[in-house]
């Protein structure tokens, strides 16, 4: 990421960054980014910008504010990762291919879009995919996060990808985007996507609080499957709890959250953060949250 990031001047050690999306009050991003800066002897203020139901013009105004108010950049989350794409001045090759952006960097007055969900997930999933060429992975959800996950899987060399979304057109479009890079197709159902799968990733918001649903029926889970969830609120989603009960190897949304944040921080600041420090900050947020839930 270093070659793409803006190298800071010696005195350029204070950064204003943030997050646009809704709902985001639960986000661990402020703690991670601010801790990373502190560990480097810098200062970062990470502002949550929660706006629900924003249309194109409102998003444009928000981004103009980011451009004008001294932000180094902002992250973008649900439901705006695809909506912001056409409002930016430039896209990285990866973001352009995916059609979704989760990181917007302000550079010389221009807004440049990146997708660190893809780079972050590729780092996070490496330990689960031991034989990529022989892997067959189901991706549930073809929105902004699902797209990033599918592209990350292709980049790691996964042999077959099956994509299911309740909006079939989205799944078809994502499969078409991936066709030149690997074997991917849209699935007719969750059952179809899971047939013969060695692993599955939930890239949908199903299971994110206050939702307590699961995107995959428990009957489709088994011990010879690995299961990953991009959701981290809660950290242990109903899907992951059910998969663990069946003996499946599981990965929470922790690693994706940390690695995508680390890559975004480097793009914003030009400084390479400690993933360990960001992980400690993430864990502290989760510990406090669960303590409050248990005390209630």
């Amino acid at each position: 990421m270093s070659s793409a990031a803006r190298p800071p001047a010696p005195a350029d050690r204070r950064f204003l960054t943030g997050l646009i999306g809704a709902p985001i009050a639960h986000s661990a991003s402020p703690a991670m980014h601010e801790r990373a800066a502190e560990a480097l002897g810098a200062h970062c203020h990470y502002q949550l910008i929660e706006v629900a139901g924003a249309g194109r013009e409102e998003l444009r105004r928000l981004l103009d504010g980011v451009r004008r108010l001294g932000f180094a950049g902002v992250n973008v989350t649900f439901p705006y990762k695809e909506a912001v794409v056409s409002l930016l001045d430039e896209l990285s090759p990866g973001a352009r291919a995916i059609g979704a952006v989760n990181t917007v960097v302000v550079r010389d007055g221009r807004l440049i879009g990146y997708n660190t969900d893809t780079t972050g997930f590729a780092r996070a999933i490496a330990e689960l995919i031991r034989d990529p060429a022989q892997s067959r992975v189901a991706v549930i959800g073809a929105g902004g996060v699902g797209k990033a996950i599918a592209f990350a899987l292709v980049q790691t060399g996964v042999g077959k990808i099956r994509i299911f979304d309740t909006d079939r057109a989205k799944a078809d479009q994502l499969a078409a985007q991936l066709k030149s890079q690997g074997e991917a197709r849209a699935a007719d159902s969750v059952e179809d996507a899971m047939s013969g799968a060695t692993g599955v990733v939930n890239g949908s918001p199903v299971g994110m609080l206050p939702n307590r649903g699961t995107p995959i029926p428990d009957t489709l889970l088994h011990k010879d499957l690995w299961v990953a969830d991009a959701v981290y609120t809660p950290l242990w989603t109903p899907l992951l709890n059910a998969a663990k009960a069946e003996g499946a190897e599981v990965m929470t949304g922790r690693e994706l959250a940390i690695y995508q944040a680390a890559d975004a921080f480097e793009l914003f600041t030009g400084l390479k953060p400690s993933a360990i420090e960001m992980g400690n900050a993430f864990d502290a947020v989760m510990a406090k949250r669960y303590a409050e839930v248990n005390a209630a």
Side-chain angles (χ1 to χ4, degrees), residues 103-253:
T103 300
V104 178
V105 176
V106 182
R107 192 172 299 144
D108 299 325
R110 291 171 57 78
L111 301 177
I112 305 172
Y114 296 84
N115 197 305
T116 67
D117 282 334
T118 296
T119 57
F121 188 76
R123 293 169 67 183
I125 203 70
E127 292 185 9
L128 282 181
I129 304 179
R130 299 179 183 91
D131 187 357
Q134 299 303 313
S135 296
R136 179 169 176 159
V137 181
V139 176
I140 310 301
V145 173
K147 283 183 174 182
I149 286 168
F151 272 82
L153 291 169
V154 165
Q155 290 170 14
T156 60
V158 168
K160 296 181 180 180
I161 299 173
R162 301 293 179 262
I163 305 155
F164 175 76
D165 195 286
T166 52
D167 183 340
R168 177 58 186 256
K170 283 188 173 183
D172 286 334
Q173 180 183 11
L174 178 53
Q177 287 176 268
L178 294 169
K179 187 166 292 185
S180 64
Q181 303 183 52
E183 185 182 332
R185 71 166 176 85
D188 296 325
S189 63
V190 173
E191 290 78 7
D192 180 25
M194 293 288 291
S195 178
T198 58
V200 58
V201 187
N202 176 37
S204 80
V206 177
M208 181 188 296
L209 290 174
N211 182 290
R212 294 300 290 160
T214 180
I216 302 169
D218 293 358
T219 54
L220 298 179
L221 304 172
H222 53 85
K223 66 180 180 61
D224 297 320
L225 188 73
W226 58 258
V227 181
D229 203 326
V231 171
Y232 72 79
T233 304
L235 196 59
W236 284 93
T237 60
L239 170 62
L240 292 182
N241 282 323
K244 187 177 181 181
E246 293 295 329
E249 189 173 6
V250 300
M251 186 180 81
T252 70

Side-chain angles (χ1 to χ4, degrees), residues 27-38 46 277-278 280-282 284-285:
S27 177
S29 291
M32 288 193 288
H33 283 257
E34 291 174 7
R35 173 77 67 85
E38 182 181 358
Y46 192 97
E277 289 288 349
M278 297 185 99
N280 289 340
F282 179 93
V285 170

Side-chain angles (χ1 to χ4, degrees), residues 49-138:
I49 307 168
E50 181 159 339
V51 181
R56 180 180 175 83
E57 288 309 310
E58 187 171 2
L59 279 177
R60 187 192 299 279
R61 289 194 295 271
L62 281 173
L63 291 170
D64 282 344
V66 167
R67 189 198 313 265
R68 295 171 181 274
L69 294 175
F71 279 81
V74 292
N75 288 125
V76 181
T77 191
F78 181 84
Y80 303 124
K81 292 184 180 185
E82 296 166 285
V84 300
V85 168
S86 64
L87 300 174
L88 303 178
D89 299 307
E90 185 180 337
L91 297 173
S92 70
R96 184 181 302 109
I98 296 165
V101 163
N102 80 315
T103 300
V104 178
V105 176
V106 182
R107 192 172 299 144
D108 299 325
R110 291 171 57 78
L111 301 177
I112 305 172
Y114 296 84
N115 197 305
T116 67
D117 282 334
T118 296
T119 57
F121 188 76
R123 293 169 67 183
I125 203 70
E127 292 185 9
L128 282 181
I129 304 179
R130 299 179 183 91
D131 187 357
Q134 299 303 313
S135 296
R136 179 169 176 159
V137 181

